[in-house]
Amino acid sequence: MKNDHIIQYPEEYSHCIGCSSCELFCSLVHDGVTGPCRGGIKLELGKLSTLMNKVYVCEHCEDHPCYEACPKKDRAMCVDENGTVYINEEECIGCGLCARACKLTPSRITMDKKNRKAHKCDLCRTREDGPVCIKRCPVVCLGLASDPLPYDPEKLGGAK
Amino acid sequence: MAKKKLFDKLPSCYAGKILRIDLTTKTTSIIPTEKYANDYIGGRALANRLYWDEVKDGNVPALSAENTLIYMNGPMSGTGLPYSGRAVMTGVSAKNIPEQYTHSSCGGYFGTVLKWAGYDGFIITGKADELTYVLIDDDKVSFESAEELRGAYVQATQEKLFEKYGRRSSSLVIGPAGENCCRHASIVTHADSAFAKPGFGAVWGYKNLKAVVARGTGTIAPADVDAVMRIHDWEDNPPKGKPETGDYLNTIEFAEFSGPTEPYRQVFNSCNPACNHRCMITRCGLTNPLDPNGDKVSMVGKCLDEQICIMRADNFFAFGAYIDFPRQNKPGNYKWMFPQVADPEDPLLDVYMQQYDGNLLNMWGPDFNFGTMINWCCNEYGLDKWDIGFWLFTWIYQCQEEGLFDDGKVDFGRPIDFEDPQFAKHILDCMTYRQGPMGDLLAEGVGRMIRALGKEKYGDTLRHGIFTRDGEERLTPVSWEASWGEPSHWQGRGFQGCEKNIWASMNLVNMIGARDEAGGGHSHDSYENYLTYKDDPCHSPLLIKATIHNNRRSEMKDSLVLCEYKDPDPGRPNLEVEFIKAAIGVDMTKEEIDHIADRGKLLERAILMRDHGRTRDMEVAEVYPWMTYEDPWGQTVTWDEWNDFVDLYYQAYNWDLETGWPTKEAWEDVGLDDIADFFEKEGKIPVENPNYVRKANPFDR
Ligand code: SF4
Ligand code: SF4
Ligand code: SF4
């Protein structure tokens, strides 16, 4: 059982068009800027010949080794009552241990080396309208794992 | 009008620097964007000013070390605003006849990534001593050997660069067509975004520049994130607009469409970051035409490749019959550009649709595999699809129909066969690799090739078998060249058989530039206005007003830089005001925006006058002949009618009727006093000639 997190729907339901709205808006609502070292969700453009793009985002793991690795645990890296793993940026010292400890590849934590801060998905926990990446994805290819899926996995050939 | 000051300190939607790159000396230097952004905002207007300042004499061959190319982003790129990731490039075109200063625009991620690396644009001069790519890695810039990329296709080149610099990097590259200085060569980024029309790919090839790679770690910020959000909310659900008079396409009828022989999935996607417009159609899972046994490929296209594939332009979404696209990947919210997307409830719908019916072109049978081969070769070799699909291949087809190849003097090295995709590949191989008996001529571009073969026969022979809307045969030349060495686009003959008010307006736009203003310069006006001038467009001050409005929108969409499919949007007259406020944070009136647009446009005229001796006689002579052939309604213009129209246009701009040169006041009105002084010294400030009489028609056909 995992805590709630953002998922990318299978391409039979919606094909990620690589518009990068998810990552641009994630960093815009969190930091007011866009940039490759900001935000919690990362778009990886697929091979040009196939254009199968993929987004990578934190899965808010129950065991959250990133949190365990943080030397300022509970001040910088925190876990809230819903199991959402988030970073309190003011306290973050940019050591990068969390990013290295993330059990997924690529790491779901982005290091902004210039500013010595770590960035990751916080599920937009303080945002009234919920995750902005979901809202701004123009082709509805992102959703919450906990939501009833808007498609029938059977019909889609058993995709995730 | 006084110049509007946009800011005291450069806002953070700009990266702040413009990079000067000299390929000969392998050196770079920096120009602060601040020096220009206040007066020229960005993109094309800024590039025009930069070009004027940087290039003291631009009367140089396109294929030379001296030719200076300028790449510019706009203030919108990277801010998250929709359809704002485009960029422009200017310089001396390799394709124009004669070669001259022009511009091009392109989508993709490169512009945004370049801004994250810290640059709003770059200037390229010189010539490298070996095939080179320039790596812009934040503030480190290096010149790297591209020898191992020599000959690599467009996608393979980018994949190699991704391998080296990661998938967060982005590059502008040329393919083999550019390396071999083919004048139809494009500069491409990502799957299908290209600076194509001016043949800048050939210029890069001449300069031994294979690619520019950017990678950055910086940030860009719009002035108002909430405003950016609101603009996206609006885009998700735009109010319905009223159809306008617009760009009407020919109907190209065929009995049977030979469709794809395999199923594939289709998605609608966008070409640049945060664009929610989805004007492009990607077909996934197609056989690779250049490697049929290799992995399946996804092919990106817009309206263009549907048309090449099926040559049936009235059916914009014709592929609907063959698709199984994911439920969510529908097209985005187009502006009211084509009547077929008009409000179905509108009582005037029938009237709009009537206008839409064009004429019958009778081209080769629509064939998915033939069209797909053209598309993929253009993508991979780095060739301009428009010129190849709508000029080169229609030319071959029409010459053949008229029996011009019967004497065997033109030998393509393979029998002409429009049902064989390998014939398409053969022609594009010859052009790209300069091989076969026609290779070098093809690589010189269609316009120059036809001149070398003999224009009278191979360009001007009239093609039979094209009919007007009323079923009358109408004759157009076998070569669809309209002006400045460019094929017809919205010039009323050839592919886009629009009505006279549209093509007359578009020819004015082309006339004072050096290319069609695809997109922003499409002709737009209210339906009410259209009704007043439809029978006599060339004497309508209202149509002149609409043309200037469209010029301004074209200038601004390329300066901010936005997308031609969205700006101008008659459903959204405040679009530019809102975008500027959201990104830069400044309140501007539409008049103030127009003032910048006019400044940019006049700078282009200044460059054309200084470097290429532009005059009225030159430009009228360029566009007039094409309009003497009948349009789909059987319409033409007379010499006097056209010149009356030009008079109205020049007067509206305050340019001299005899020379076409702006008056001193015209320069000063847009704040270009220094350019007025320059032309005063050159003797190019016009003095009114009381004895001026219009020249007699030199074209007696
Ligand atoms: S950052 Fe990695 S390890 Fe930490 S919760 Fe997210 S996915 Fe798990
Ligand atoms: S849920 Fe919010 S924080 Fe997480 S990736 Fe999406 S936008 Fe970013
Ligand atoms: S917003 Fe949606 S379509 Fe765009 S890149 Fe993100 S997941 Fe893909």
Side-chain angles (χ1 to χ4, degrees):
Chain A
M1 165 75 190
K2 279 179 180 167
N3 292 317
D4 209 1
H5 61 277
I6 302 290
I7 54 166
Q8 179 182 356
Y9 295 139
E11 74 228 18
E12 291 80 0
Y13 175 72
S14 180
H15 182 113
C16 166
I17 57 172
C19 69
S20 65
S21 297
C22 49
E23 58 170 55
L24 293 180
F25 278 99
C26 179
S27 63
L28 278 174
V29 301
H30 286 86
D31 293 343
V33 301
T34 69
C37 305
R38 301 298 183 99
I41 188 165
K42 289 292 150 221
L43 163 71
E44 186 177 278
L45 293 172
K47 267 178 75 179
L48 293 170
S49 59
T50 63
L51 297 169
M52 293 299 181
N53 308 310
K54 193 149 176 39
V55 290
Y56 294 109
V57 60
C58 166
E59 295 187 358
H60 299 279
C61 321
E62 297 248 292
D63 55 349
H64 37 59
C66 51
Y67 163 84
E68 302 299 340
C70 177
K72 294 186 77 184
K73 178 158 43 170
D74 292 328
R75 278 175 297 156
M77 182 70 85
C78 309
V79 183
D80 74 8
E81 62 284 8
N82 301 318
T84 303
V85 183
Y86 67 97
I87 294 168
N88 178 8
E89 214 185 273
E90 271 168 24
E91 294 286 333
C92 174
I93 51 169
C95 66
L97 291 172
C98 58
R100 258 175 275 151
C102 173
K103 62 191 199 187
L104 301 183
T105 310
S107 172
R108 302 315 200 245
I109 297 179
T110 306
M111 294 309 301
D112 178 356
K113 290 189 186 129
K114 271 188 197 156
N115 298 300
R116 293 193 63 81
K117 295 285 172 197
H119 296 273
K120 73 178 290 300
C121 169
D122 64 1
L123 271 184
C124 290
R125 52 194 285 281
T126 57
R127 194 175 172 269
E128 231 173 71
D129 295 343
V132 72
C133 54
I134 296 182
K135 179 167 168 60
R136 285 275 75 104
C137 174
V139 296
V140 200
C141 68
L142 299 176
L144 276 174
S146 62
D147 267 357
L149 298 180
Y151 60 90
D152 179 351
E154 296 289 308
K155 278 200 188 136
L156 297 176
K160 118 168 141 171
Chain B
M1 186 190 253
K3 276 186 189 164
K4 165 95 171 182
K5 192 165 191 225
L6 301 187
F7 47 79
D8 291 322
K9 182 175 164 285
L10 193 74
S12 39
C13 60
Y14 292 95
K17 293 173 289 183
I18 298 164
L19 183 68
R20 223 191 251 112
I21 302 169
D22 186 334
L23 292 167
T24 309
T25 58
K26 291 194 168 53
T27 53
T28 61
S29 54
I30 301 286
I31 301 168
T33 309
E34 195 148 14
K35 185 173 167 203
Y36 288 102
N38 236 321
D39 287 346
Y40 306 99
I41 208 158
R44 178 157 29 127
L46 199 154
N48 286 346
R49 181 71 221 197
L50 211 46
Y51 192 90
W52 177 270
D53 288 355
E54 292 279 309
V55 180
K56 298 299 176 212
D57 177 11
N59 185 14
V60 296
L63 304 183
S64 69
E66 291 71 35
N67 190 6
T68 299
L69 295 187
I70 300 182
Y71 169 100
M72 277 306 303
N73 279 313
M76 310 290 143
S77 337
T79 60
L81 279 160
Y83 43 88
S84 63
R86 298 183 65 84
V88 297
M89 191 175 285
T90 71
V92 176
S93 158
K95 194 189 71 191
N96 276 151
I97 304 174
E99 292 177 344
Q100 60 198 298
Y101 182 75
T102 191
H103 59 87
S104 182
S105 85
C106 174
Y109 303 80
F110 180 85
T112 301
V113 174
L114 183 73
K115 274 176 107 168
W116 288 336
Y119 302 94
D120 293 301
F122 57 80
I123 306 172
I124 302 249
T125 54
K127 177 176 180 176
D129 52 11
E130 61 163 347
L131 198 63
T132 295
Y133 67 89
V134 175
L135 173 64
I136 301 171
D137 197 2
D138 279 328
D139 40 19
K140 289 196 289 299
V141 183
S142 56
F143 297 79
E144 309 285 338
S145 168
E147 282 304 333
E148 64 168 34
L149 296 171
R150 188 179 286 282
Y153 287 169
V154 160
Q155 292 199 355
T157 303
Q158 291 183 78
E159 289 294 349
K160 280 248 165 63
L161 294 166
F162 276 143
E163 266 166 38
K164 273 198 150 139
Y165 303 108
R167 299 198 86 80
R168 307 291 312 193
S169 67
S170 187
S171 35
L172 289 172
V173 309
I174 57 169
E179 283 178 42
N180 294 323
C181 294
C182 167
R183 289 178 189 263
H184 291 298
S186 47
I187 298 169
V188 190
T189 183
H190 204 56
D192 193 47
S193 292
F195 293 111
K197 293 217 84 167
F200 287 149
V203 181
W204 276 32
Y206 180 86
K207 290 175 176 296
N208 273 327
L209 181 60
K210 177 73 176 171
V212 176
V213 189
R215 184 167 69 169
T217 55
T219 56
I220 288 295
D224 183 346
V225 173
D226 290 338
V228 174
M229 281 285 199
R230 283 196 299 276
I231 286 170
H232 273 270
D233 286 340
W234 191 99
E235 287 288 334
D236 288 345
N237 233 331
K240 288 200 165 184
K242 210 172 159 39
E244 50 180 329
T245 173
D247 313 312
Y248 306 111
L249 308 179
N250 281 321
T251 308
I252 307 170
E253 288 289 352
F254 293 101
E256 215 170 317
F257 164 45
S258 126
T261 44
E262 56 185 342
Y264 61 85
R265 209 158 47 82
Q266 172 169 292
V267 298
F268 287 86
N269 62 307
S270 305
C271 76
N272 65 80
C275 178
N276 53 6
H277 179 197
R278 303 189 295 291
C279 67
M280 320 212 316
I281 302 171
T282 297
R283 279 167 234 114
C284 311
L286 293 177
T287 295
N288 180 343
L290 291 174
D291 183 11
N293 300 318
D295 294 339
K296 299 275 186 194
V297 294
S298 297
M299 214 179 277
V300 181
K302 222 161 49 173
C303 46
L304 197 73
D305 72 342
E306 274 75 89
Q307 291 161 5
I308 296 173
C309 288
I310 65 175
M311 286 306 268
R312 194 191 153 90
D314 63 333
N315 200 343
F316 199 65
F317 301 130
F319 277 86
Y322 299 90
I323 57 173
D324 167 24
F325 66 89
R327 275 159 288 173
Q328 304 303 337
N329 288 107
K330 298 182 183 68
N333 296 305
Y334 281 81
K335 69 179 181 184
W336 299 102
M337 186 159 135
F338 297 104
Q340 75 265 42
V341 291
D343 181 353
E345 304 298 318
D346 192 305
L348 279 174
L349 190 65
D350 282 352
V351 183
Y352 310 134
M353 295 308 276
Q354 259 175 32
Q355 293 177 60
Y356 178 66
D357 254 355
N359 60 305
L360 208 61
L361 287 177
N362 282 330
M363 239 6 112
W364 65 87
D367 184 317
F368 185 87
N369 295 328
F370 191 82
T372 301
M373 179 63 87
I374 296 178
N375 269 318
W376 197 249
C377 287
C378 287
N379 280 355
E380 288 288 57
Y381 299 169
L383 286 167
D384 176 3
K385 280 184 194 171
W386 182 267
D387 287 358
I388 301 305
F390 296 110
W391 192 11
L392 173 63
F393 281 102
T394 58
W395 172 76
I396 296 175
Y397 185 81
Q398 303 199 92
C399 284
Q400 189 198 30
E401 288 289 287
E402 290 303 322
L404 303 185
F405 299 144
D406 290 355
D407 59 12
K409 283 191 184 148
V410 175
D411 173 15
F412 291 107
R414 186 185 173 110
I416 295 171
D417 183 351
F418 277 82
E419 285 177 11
D420 179 7
Q422 291 305 319
F423 170 69
K425 176 175 185 299
H426 171 79
I427 292 292
L428 299 178
D429 282 348
C430 293
M431 173 180 256
T432 298
Y433 298 102
R434 296 179 174 266
Q435 67 194 23
M438 289 285 286
D440 280 331
L441 276 184
L442 282 161
E444 281 304 292
V446 186
R448 288 177 171 80
M449 169 182 69
I450 288 171
R451 281 162 180 75
L453 293 172
K455 187 166 179 292
E456 205 176 316
K457 175 173 174 186
Y458 293 99
D460 301 340
T461 297
L462 297 173
R463 154 96 197 277
H464 296 78
I466 296 183
F467 297 90
T468 65
R469 289 158 48 85
D470 302 326
E472 300 283 319
E473 186 172 47
R474 80 181 171 88
L475 302 171
T476 34
V478 288
S479 165
W480 283 350
E481 180 176 334
S483 49
W484 308 117
E486 287 276 2
S488 187
H489 192 176
W490 295 105
Q491 282 80 49
R493 292 102 186 120
F495 190 61
Q496 255 96 1
C498 42
E499 268 186 286
K500 183 166 178 175
N501 58 296
I502 309 279
W503 57 250
S505 168
M506 291 307 294
N507 274 303
L508 279 186
V509 175
N510 273 23
M511 188 186 80
I512 63 164
R515 59 164 293 174
D516 68 299
E517 295 280 346
H522 283 184
S523 178
H524 297 271
D525 202 358
S526 71
Y527 195 70
E528 290 73 29
N529 285 354
Y530 160 77
L531 292 177
T532 71
Y533 54 61
K534 71 183 177 48
D535 297 326
D536 185 16
C538 292
H539 293 100
S540 168
L542 266 185
L543 184 53
I544 292 293
K545 212 170 147 199
T547 306
I548 291 177
H549 174 75
N550 288 318
N551 276 342
R552 287 168 169 163
R553 302 290 68 78
S554 176
E555 200 66 31
M556 282 323 287
K557 73 97 184 154
D558 269 357
S559 297
L560 291 174
V561 174
L562 298 173
C563 169
E564 51 222 42
Y565 273 70
K566 285 301 249 184
D567 183 20
D569 181 344
R572 197 161 188 198
N574 283 328
L575 184 149
E576 291 162 9
V577 173
E578 287 174 49
F579 274 55
I580 289 171
K581 175 81 175 146
I584 307 181
V586 59
D587 284 303
M588 290 192 83
T589 63
K590 285 194 246 176
E591 291 67 31
E592 286 164 347
I593 294 173
D594 284 348
H595 201 224
I596 297 186
D598 289 346
R599 197 175 303 144
K601 190 81 203 153
L602 247 68
L603 274 163
E604 180 189 57
R605 191 153 194 82
I607 295 165
L608 291 171
M609 283 171 59
R610 180 192 68 179
D611 296 344
H612 310 291
R614 185 60 76 88
T615 61
R616 172 178 182 138
D617 287 351
M618 275 169 81
E619 50 193 24
V620 169
E622 268 303 315
V623 295
Y624 176 70
W626 188 238
M627 293 182 285
T628 60
Y629 302 103
E630 288 180 347
D631 78 356
W633 287 261
Q635 296 282 315
T636 56
V637 283
T638 65
W639 177 253
D640 277 328
E641 193 185 2
W642 180 252
N643 279 283
D644 289 349
F645 200 35
V646 175
D647 285 356
L648 284 178
Y649 194 46
Y650 281 1
Q651 275 159 350
Y653 271 127
N654 197 7
W655 298 352
D656 177 51
L657 293 186
E658 185 172 13
T659 56
W661 296 335
T663 59
K664 194 170 169 58
E665 297 71 43
W667 295 116
E668 288 170 354
D669 278 352
V670 294
L672 295 175
D673 302 41
D674 64 317
I675 290 183
D677 295 344
F678 173 88
F679 283 122
E680 193 140 47
K681 283 193 204 112
E682 294 280 302
K684 284 192 173 178
I685 291 295
V687 195
E688 204 179 329
N689 174 5
N691 302 320
Y692 164 61
V693 270
R694 183 182 290 168
K695 288 211 170 75
N697 182 2
F699 302 96
D700 203 9
R701 191 164 57 77

